Amino acid sequence: MEYINSLDNNTVKKIKKLKQRKYRELNGEFIAEGRKFLDFSYEPNLIVLKEGVENEENIAPKLDRFKCRKLIVGDKIFKELTSQENSQGVILVYPYCESSLEKLEDNIIVLNNVQDPGNLGTIIRVGDAAGFKDIILTKGSVDVYNEKSVRSSMGSIFNMNIVYMEESELLKLLKERGYKLHVTALEKNSIEYTQMKLQEKNVVVFGSEGNGVSKEMLESADETVIIPIFGSAESLNVAMASGIILYKVRELIKR
């Protein structure tokens, strides 16, 4: 393992830059923080440990699984790199996950301008748990490699095929490939999610937290879907709504 004790070190500077989307996209790398990520098999490009963590009994065997470069840094440097108040002393730098439009399965999640990174990470986790493999985000949505999105996904980001597309190109693709669009929206003709009628190929669309789905997405919907509110709450968080609807879709698929 290498020991670094200078904030002017090029690797330290690079990691700090990866906190910005433009540098993540430029380098094709992203940051994940926390010891849980040492349990996943996805190979990082770099592991950074706060000095002393490398000697902990339950950490060393996990580090031995990975062939990548490993750095040890002092507390001062680690504080410059961490995004968490109570950090566990482990930061990993990963290459972007592979993504492809060629391997889309028959049931897809579409996120239309979702902006909150925590919501995105949770939806990735829920989608993975419900057996979905594909998420398409319209361009303008939050970056999937935002540190909060990665952390909220709890490793499910490594299991999903996640693609960004322009909305017009996405709608054209879905039509050409014969997907039925189930769009979540509060419209007069919206049906309760329990009444969805699935076809062989289906897309479930969730909109942004503040504005819902776009006009173009709404106009392209084959059916609009709602979750009924029985109490006094105005609405449901998009991540929570995705969990309710995606598990219902999974139940309908099994029938």
Side-chain angles (χ1 to χ4, degrees), residues 26-238:
L26 183 64
N27 289 279
E29 293 180 307
F30 66 98
I31 298 171
E33 185 168 354
R35 300 186 181 197
K36 182 65 178 176
F37 286 91
L38 294 175
D39 295 331
F40 304 124
S41 59
Y42 194 72
E43 180 74 25
N45 287 341
L46 177 69
I47 299 175
V48 181
L49 305 170
K50 185 169 72 172
E51 189 173 11
V53 170
E54 75 280 7
N55 296 322
E56 295 183 21
E57 186 177 351
N58 62 333
I59 293 293
K62 295 180 180 181
L63 294 175
D64 290 341
R65 296 171 50 229
F66 300 109
K67 300 176 181 178
C68 67
R69 185 182 177 199
K70 303 174 182 73
L71 304 181
I72 299 171
V73 299
D75 187 61
K76 181 180 178 180
I77 295 177
F78 197 86
K79 284 181 179 178
E80 290 289 319
L81 301 179
T82 182
S83 299
Q84 300 180 23
E85 286 188 19
N86 299 306
S87 176
Q88 297 176 336
V90 178
I91 294 173
L92 302 93
V93 176
Y94 287 102
Y96 272 16
C97 304
E98 290 186 14
S99 62
S100 172
L101 290 173
E102 301 307 315
K103 58 181 181 180
L104 293 178
E105 296 192 354
D106 289 343
N107 296 285
I108 300 172
I109 302 165
V110 166
L111 304 181
N112 185 209
N113 297 325
V114 168
Q115 297 299 311
D116 185 85
N119 282 339
L120 174 54
T122 301
I123 293 170
I124 292 170
R125 186 178 179 186
V126 168
D128 185 18
F132 290 79
K133 295 297 181 185
D134 304 293
I135 297 179
I136 301 178
L137 295 101
T138 56
K139 289 188 177 179
S141 298
V142 65
D143 182 18
V144 68
Y145 296 117
N146 178 291
E147 286 183 76
K148 189 174 181 181
S149 298
V150 174
R151 185 165 61 251
S152 299
S153 80
M154 290 297 289
S156 287
I157 191 172
F158 303 130
N159 304 328
M160 304 292 282
N161 178 38
I162 303 174
V163 182
Y164 283 82
M165 293 187 70
E166 294 288 353
E167 188 172 311
S168 58
E169 295 177 1
L170 169 60
L171 290 171
K172 180 181 177 182
L173 175 79
L174 297 176
K175 183 177 181 180
E176 289 175 348
R177 297 194 184 183
Y179 285 94
K180 181 176 182 179
L181 266 68
H182 309 265
V183 177
T184 56
L186 186 60
E187 296 291 301
K188 288 184 179 179
N189 62 340
S190 292
I191 61 172
E192 292 191 13
Y193 75 100
T194 55
Q195 303 302 313
M196 285 187 292
K197 297 177 177 61
L198 301 187
Q199 294 184 169
E200 183 178 347
K201 302 176 76 173
N202 302 278
V203 173
V204 187
V205 183
F206 299 96
S208 71
E209 294 82 355
N211 300 316
V213 298
S214 69
K215 179 182 177 182
E216 293 75 17
M217 194 68 71
L218 197 57
E219 290 175 348
S220 300
D222 293 301
E223 65 180 19
T224 53
V225 180
I226 59 169
I227 299 173
I229 302 292
F230 299 106
S232 301
E234 181 180 334
S235 62
L236 290 175
N237 172 284
V238 66

